[in-house]
Amino acid sequence: MPELPEVETVVKSLQREICGQIIEKVLVTEEMIIGYPSDVEDFKARLKNKEILELRRRGKYIVIRLSANFLLIIHLRMTGQLLVKDRGADKEKHTHVIIEFKEGFDLRFNNVRKFGRMYLVTEEELEQAGGFTELGPEPLSANFDFAYFSGLTQKSRQKIKALLLDQRKIAGLGNIYTDEALYRSGIDPQRPANSLTSKEIKKLLKNIKKVLQAGIKYNGTTFSDYVNALGESGSFQEKLLVYGRKGESCNYCGCNISKDKVAGRSTHFCPECQS
DNA sequence: CGAGGTACCTGACAGC
DNA sequence: TGCTGTCAGGTACCTC
């Protein structure tokens, strides 16, 4: 479900609700959600009485900084939701973890497909494990610039779509925003990365940033599951030019938008503008 | 290194 | 109504 703009929106909405809260109790009804520590009782015990200090995003990860140097790191994968709920609210069918705050409300982790994960580590543990070094730069940061991106593309024969989806190279792009950025740049998703001209690289770089910023501005893209921490949908789906528009006409040339498998993912593109 | 496949899970939807 | 197959915003892991 969520890519960078959706995760960013969740973090922002959550920040306002849970900063400064103290954790009283944690309920875990689906143990596979807890990626670390391996003992769920440790997970629960470590969280007890910790204060929520700060929230941030790294790629598609949500990073919650807690007191005593702990970090609660969450990946929503396809269908994860983090929701602020009243203590008495009905537990939904796919609520797998509930973090109860002393003030009387909860943070609940819903996840239909159970792919999402929560990791509770100390700063030291994270560092020992190599931290987030496996993740590429943030696409909206100044580090993600022409020099970096052209170096990346020029030394790879990968299909450009596969490269954009590779979190070790760029952290945060997913299937929707990749298709949108490639379409807006007029680049065939199948092109080998090292076949892009310098002009195309510039254009793609600019459009990656633009499409992500627009996604954030419209609070993300909601097709089915994605909502922010208050249960509110995003609206960027209304601005999509190719994703989910198979058979509809291209805004520029009028021909039908196609959908094919590229790099193992369903890929939407205009066969005319992106040839 | 790159490509392609499988697996993890559940639900929605199309077609019969 | 119900069965079957396909697909889904992500990623890890395997083989060729």
Side-chain angles (χ1 to χ4, degrees):
Chain A
M1 154 187 74
E3 305 179 33
L4 186 153
E6 289 74 36
V7 178
E8 179 77 17
T9 306
V10 169
V11 166
K12 278 193 209 152
S13 58
L14 211 49
Q15 214 149 27
R16 294 190 285 267
E17 303 296 320
I18 69 168
C19 275
Q21 294 298 321
I22 311 276
I23 296 168
E24 182 169 44
K25 190 179 164 192
V26 178
L27 307 168
V28 177
T29 47
E30 182 55 75
E31 300 204 348
M32 68 185 292
I33 298 296
I34 312 305
Y36 190 89
S38 49
D39 185 343
V40 172
E41 291 310 313
D42 282 351
F43 177 83
K44 296 200 272 189
R46 281 173 156 204
L47 279 176
K48 198 175 157 74
N49 293 323
K50 298 296 181 297
E51 179 182 355
I52 310 282
L53 298 181
E54 181 200 19
L55 278 84
R56 59 177 189 264
R57 178 191 60 71
R58 176 73 177 99
K60 298 175 194 171
Y61 289 90
I62 296 162
V63 182
I64 303 179
R65 198 161 64 79
L66 305 168
S67 52
N69 261 344
F70 278 102
L71 297 171
L72 178 60
I73 299 172
I74 302 170
H75 200 302
L76 302 172
R77 294 280 181 94
M78 297 282 265
T79 56
Q81 302 175 327
L82 277 176
L83 295 165
V84 171
K85 294 271 187 184
D86 288 334
R87 179 68 40 82
D90 287 341
K91 187 174 164 297
E92 289 161 77
K93 184 176 176 193
H94 299 289
T95 300
H96 301 314
V97 179
I98 301 181
I99 295 175
E100 297 187 348
F101 297 117
K102 288 195 171 157
E103 205 166 295
F105 66 96
D106 305 342
L107 177 61
R108 301 190 184 182
F109 187 67
N110 288 10
N111 199 175
V112 170
R113 291 174 71 185
K114 301 182 183 172
F115 292 165
R117 290 292 178 270
M118 303 179 102
Y119 309 90
L120 180 61
V121 295
T122 59
E123 307 255 11
E124 293 73 33
E125 283 172 328
L126 181 65
E127 219 162 284
Q128 278 163 23
F132 286 113
T133 51
E134 308 246 306
L135 287 182
E138 286 292 326
L140 291 177
S141 74
N143 294 339
F144 186 64
D145 59 6
F146 179 78
Y148 175 79
F149 193 39
S150 64
L152 204 62
T153 48
Q154 263 147 42
K155 64 179 183 236
S156 170
R157 282 161 290 134
Q158 254 187 322
K159 290 174 180 149
I160 186 63
K161 165 130 184 177
L163 183 145
L164 296 181
L165 288 173
D166 187 340
Q167 303 298 300
R168 292 167 304 181
K169 296 180 172 156
I170 309 163
L173 281 174
N175 209 28
I176 297 179
Y177 294 91
T178 296
D179 280 5
E180 291 295 316
L182 287 168
Y183 170 75
R184 288 159 207 235
S185 308
I187 297 169
D188 180 346
Q190 307 246 30
R191 291 261 303 277
N194 63 1
S195 76
L196 300 197
T197 65
S198 147
K199 200 175 161 191
E200 287 173 322
I201 294 166
K202 259 183 206 143
K203 201 167 178 184
L204 183 53
L205 176 73
K206 193 185 77 189
N207 280 312
I208 288 170
K209 292 182 186 261
K210 269 175 77 172
V211 89
L212 290 174
Q213 272 154 355
I216 292 170
K217 180 177 167 196
Y218 289 95
N219 301 312
T221 303
T222 298
F223 278 127
S224 51
D225 302 275
Y226 165 70
V227 287
N228 72 7
L230 301 176
E232 299 159 341
S233 297
S235 60
F236 194 64
Q237 62 279 8
E238 295 159 19
K239 307 285 171 189
L240 297 175
L241 299 181
V242 275
Y243 193 90
R245 295 192 65 224
K246 181 189 172 188
E248 294 177 38
S249 52
C250 166
N251 286 12
Y252 297 122
C253 77
C255 75
N256 285 353
I257 289 165
S258 303
K259 181 177 151 186
D260 266 339
K261 211 70 145 180
V262 178
R265 309 294 300 278
S266 71
T267 298
H268 304 73
F269 62 99
C270 170
E272 193 59 38
C273 299
Q274 292 174 267
S275 58

